PDB file of all heavy atoms in Angstrom:
ATOM      1  N   SER B 173       6.849 -13.179   7.994  1.00 87.00           N
ATOM      2  CA  SER B 173       6.038 -12.174   8.682  1.00 87.00           C
ATOM      3  C   SER B 173       6.536 -10.773   8.334  1.00 87.00           C
ATOM      4  O   SER B 173       7.667 -10.589   7.868  1.00 87.00           O
ATOM      5  CB  SER B 173       6.096 -12.392  10.193  1.00 87.00           C
ATOM      6  OG  SER B 173       7.434 -12.266  10.673  1.00 87.00           O
ATOM      7  N   VAL B 174       5.700  -9.782   8.579  1.00 88.00           N
ATOM      8  CA  VAL B 174       6.034  -8.399   8.231  1.00 88.00           C
ATOM      9  C   VAL B 174       6.781  -7.745   9.381  1.00 88.00           C
ATOM     10  O   VAL B 174       6.282  -7.681  10.508  1.00 88.00           O
ATOM     11  CB  VAL B 174       4.760  -7.599   7.888  1.00 88.00           C
ATOM     12  CG1 VAL B 174       5.109  -6.136   7.643  1.00 88.00           C
ATOM     13  CG2 VAL B 174       4.064  -8.187   6.668  1.00 88.00           C
ATOM     14  N   LEU B 175       7.968  -7.243   9.074  1.00 90.00           N
ATOM     15  CA  LEU B 175       8.789  -6.562  10.067  1.00 90.00           C
ATOM     16  C   LEU B 175       8.417  -5.082  10.159  1.00 90.00           C
ATOM     17  O   LEU B 175       8.372  -4.493  11.247  1.00 90.00           O
ATOM     18  CB  LEU B 175      10.268  -6.704   9.692  1.00 90.00           C
ATOM     19  CG  LEU B 175      11.288  -5.944  10.537  1.00 90.00           C
ATOM     20  CD1 LEU B 175      11.286  -6.461  11.969  1.00 90.00           C
ATOM     21  CD2 LEU B 175      12.676  -6.081   9.926  1.00 90.00           C
ATOM     22  N   GLY B 176       8.156  -4.484   9.025  1.00 90.00           N
ATOM     23  CA  GLY B 176       7.826  -3.057   8.975  1.00 90.00           C
ATOM     24  C   GLY B 176       7.482  -2.650   7.557  1.00 90.00           C
ATOM     25  O   GLY B 176       7.244  -3.498   6.682  1.00 90.00           O
ATOM     26  N   PHE B 177       7.487  -1.342   7.313  1.00 93.00           N
ATOM     27  CA  PHE B 177       7.124  -0.825   6.000  1.00 93.00           C
ATOM     28  C   PHE B 177       8.055   0.325   5.626  1.00 93.00           C
ATOM     29  O   PHE B 177       8.321   1.201   6.445  1.00 93.00           O
ATOM     30  CB  PHE B 177       5.680  -0.319   5.987  1.00 93.00           C
ATOM     31  CG  PHE B 177       4.661  -1.380   6.260  1.00 93.00           C
ATOM     32  CD1 PHE B 177       4.283  -1.670   7.559  1.00 93.00           C
ATOM     33  CD2 PHE B 177       4.093  -2.104   5.223  1.00 93.00           C
ATOM     34  CE1 PHE B 177       3.342  -2.653   7.830  1.00 93.00           C
ATOM     35  CE2 PHE B 177       3.158  -3.090   5.472  1.00 93.00           C
ATOM     36  CZ  PHE B 177       2.780  -3.368   6.780  1.00 93.00           C
ATOM     37  N   VAL B 178       8.540   0.300   4.385  1.00 94.00           N
ATOM     38  CA  VAL B 178       9.337   1.405   3.855  1.00 94.00           C
ATOM     39  C   VAL B 178       8.413   2.333   3.081  1.00 94.00           C
ATOM     40  O   VAL B 178       7.590   1.882   2.283  1.00 94.00           O
ATOM     41  CB  VAL B 178      10.463   0.900   2.927  1.00 94.00           C
ATOM     42  CG1 VAL B 178      11.105   2.067   2.172  1.00 94.00           C
ATOM     43  CG2 VAL B 178      11.528   0.172   3.739  1.00 94.00           C
ATOM     44  N   MET B 179       8.554   3.633   3.338  1.00 93.00           N
ATOM     45  CA  MET B 179       7.762   4.643   2.634  1.00 93.00           C
ATOM     46  C   MET B 179       8.699   5.612   1.924  1.00 93.00           C
ATOM     47  O   MET B 179       9.564   6.216   2.553  1.00 93.00           O
ATOM     48  CB  MET B 179       6.889   5.429   3.618  1.00 93.00           C
ATOM     49  CG  MET B 179       5.945   4.596   4.453  1.00 93.00           C
ATOM     50  SD  MET B 179       5.058   5.610   5.683  1.00 93.00           S
ATOM     51  CE  MET B 179       4.139   6.735   4.632  1.00 93.00           C
ATOM     52  N   CYS B 180       8.520   5.758   0.618  1.00 95.00           N
ATOM     53  CA  CYS B 180       9.212   6.807  -0.139  1.00 95.00           C
ATOM     54  C   CYS B 180       8.192   7.890  -0.447  1.00 95.00           C
ATOM     55  O   CYS B 180       7.201   7.641  -1.148  1.00 95.00           O
ATOM     56  CB  CYS B 180       9.808   6.257  -1.435  1.00 95.00           C
ATOM     57  SG  CYS B 180      11.369   5.393  -1.217  1.00 95.00           S
ATOM     58  N   ASN B 181       8.416   9.079   0.088  1.00 93.00           N
ATOM     59  CA  ASN B 181       7.417  10.147   0.026  1.00 93.00           C
ATOM     60  C   ASN B 181       7.848  11.265  -0.922  1.00 93.00           C
ATOM     61  O   ASN B 181       8.999  11.692  -0.909  1.00 93.00           O
ATOM     62  CB  ASN B 181       7.187  10.723   1.417  1.00 93.00           C
ATOM     63  CG  ASN B 181       6.823   9.642   2.426  1.00 93.00           C
ATOM     64  OD1 ASN B 181       5.937   8.834   2.185  1.00 93.00           O
ATOM     65  ND2 ASN B 181       7.520   9.621   3.549  1.00 93.00           N
ATOM     66  N   VAL B 182       6.896  11.712  -1.734  1.00 91.00           N
ATOM     67  CA  VAL B 182       7.124  12.820  -2.673  1.00 91.00           C
ATOM     68  C   VAL B 182       6.192  13.956  -2.288  1.00 91.00           C
ATOM     69  O   VAL B 182       4.984  13.769  -2.197  1.00 91.00           O
ATOM     70  CB  VAL B 182       6.840  12.385  -4.122  1.00 91.00           C
ATOM     71  CG1 VAL B 182       7.132  13.533  -5.082  1.00 91.00           C
ATOM     72  CG2 VAL B 182       7.652  11.142  -4.483  1.00 91.00           C
ATOM     73  N   GLU B 183       6.740  15.131  -2.060  1.00 88.00           N
ATOM     74  CA  GLU B 183       5.929  16.281  -1.661  1.00 88.00           C
ATOM     75  C   GLU B 183       5.113  16.793  -2.842  1.00 88.00           C
ATOM     76  O   GLU B 183       5.627  16.933  -3.959  1.00 88.00           O
ATOM     77  CB  GLU B 183       6.818  17.395  -1.107  1.00 88.00           C
ATOM     78  CG  GLU B 183       7.517  17.023   0.193  1.00 88.00           C
ATOM     79  CD  GLU B 183       8.354  18.165   0.747  1.00 88.00           C
ATOM     80  OE1 GLU B 183       8.293  19.269   0.158  1.00 88.00           O
ATOM     81  OE2 GLU B 183       9.051  17.951   1.748  1.00 88.00           O
ATOM     82  N   GLU B 184       3.839  17.081  -2.578  1.00 84.00           N
ATOM     83  CA  GLU B 184       2.929  17.510  -3.639  1.00 84.00           C
ATOM     84  C   GLU B 184       3.398  18.797  -4.304  1.00 84.00           C
ATOM     85  O   GLU B 184       3.314  18.945  -5.523  1.00 84.00           O
ATOM     86  CB  GLU B 184       1.519  17.682  -3.057  1.00 84.00           C
ATOM     87  CG  GLU B 184       0.455  18.072  -4.088  1.00 84.00           C
ATOM     88  CD  GLU B 184       0.381  19.566  -4.336  1.00 84.00           C
ATOM     89  OE1 GLU B 184       0.783  20.334  -3.436  1.00 84.00           O
ATOM     90  OE2 GLU B 184      -0.061  19.955  -5.437  1.00 84.00           O
ATOM     91  N   ARG B 185       3.886  19.761  -3.539  1.00 85.00           N
ATOM     92  CA  ARG B 185       4.323  21.027  -4.127  1.00 85.00           C
ATOM     93  C   ARG B 185       5.508  20.831  -5.068  1.00 85.00           C
ATOM     94  O   ARG B 185       5.638  21.531  -6.080  1.00 85.00           O
ATOM     95  CB  ARG B 185       4.686  22.039  -3.033  1.00 85.00           C
ATOM     96  CG  ARG B 185       3.516  22.603  -2.276  1.00 85.00           C
ATOM     97  CD  ARG B 185       2.626  23.517  -3.139  1.00 85.00           C
ATOM     98  NE  ARG B 185       1.683  22.787  -3.967  1.00 85.00           N
ATOM     99  CZ  ARG B 185       0.909  23.354  -4.879  1.00 85.00           C
ATOM    100  NH1 ARG B 185       0.988  24.656  -5.098  1.00 85.00           N
ATOM    101  NH2 ARG B 185       0.055  22.624  -5.594  1.00 85.00           N
ATOM    102  N   ALA B 186       6.368  19.884  -4.721  1.00 86.00           N
ATOM    103  CA  ALA B 186       7.501  19.587  -5.597  1.00 86.00           C
ATOM    104  C   ALA B 186       7.010  19.040  -6.930  1.00 86.00           C
ATOM    105  O   ALA B 186       7.540  19.374  -7.997  1.00 86.00           O
ATOM    106  CB  ALA B 186       8.434  18.583  -4.919  1.00 86.00           C
ATOM    107  N   VAL B 187       5.964  18.203  -6.878  1.00 86.00           N
ATOM    108  CA  VAL B 187       5.375  17.655  -8.103  1.00 86.00           C
ATOM    109  C   VAL B 187       4.785  18.776  -8.947  1.00 86.00           C
ATOM    110  O   VAL B 187       5.013  18.857 -10.161  1.00 86.00           O
ATOM    111  CB  VAL B 187       4.281  16.620  -7.770  1.00 86.00           C
ATOM    112  CG1 VAL B 187       3.503  16.226  -9.024  1.00 86.00           C
ATOM    113  CG2 VAL B 187       4.895  15.392  -7.127  1.00 86.00           C
ATOM    114  N   TYR B 188       4.027  19.671  -8.304  1.00 85.00           N
ATOM    115  CA  TYR B 188       3.367  20.739  -9.059  1.00 85.00           C
ATOM    116  C   TYR B 188       4.382  21.634  -9.759  1.00 85.00           C
ATOM    117  O   TYR B 188       4.269  21.894 -10.970  1.00 85.00           O
ATOM    118  CB  TYR B 188       2.469  21.574  -8.145  1.00 85.00           C
ATOM    119  CG  TYR B 188       1.852  22.737  -8.889  1.00 85.00           C
ATOM    120  CD1 TYR B 188       0.764  22.530  -9.734  1.00 85.00           C
ATOM    121  CD2 TYR B 188       2.393  24.016  -8.798  1.00 85.00           C
ATOM    122  CE1 TYR B 188       0.220  23.580 -10.463  1.00 85.00           C
ATOM    123  CE2 TYR B 188       1.852  25.067  -9.519  1.00 85.00           C
ATOM    124  CZ  TYR B 188       0.764  24.849 -10.348  1.00 85.00           C
ATOM    125  OH  TYR B 188       0.238  25.888 -11.073  1.00 85.00           O
TER     126      TYR B 188
END
Side-chain angles (χ1 to χ4, degrees):
S173 61
V174 175
L175 174 64
F177 297 88
V178 169
M179 303 175 62
C180 280
N181 306 310
V182 182
E183 294 182 5
E184 183 275 336
R185 288 292 82 187
V187 170
Y188 176 78

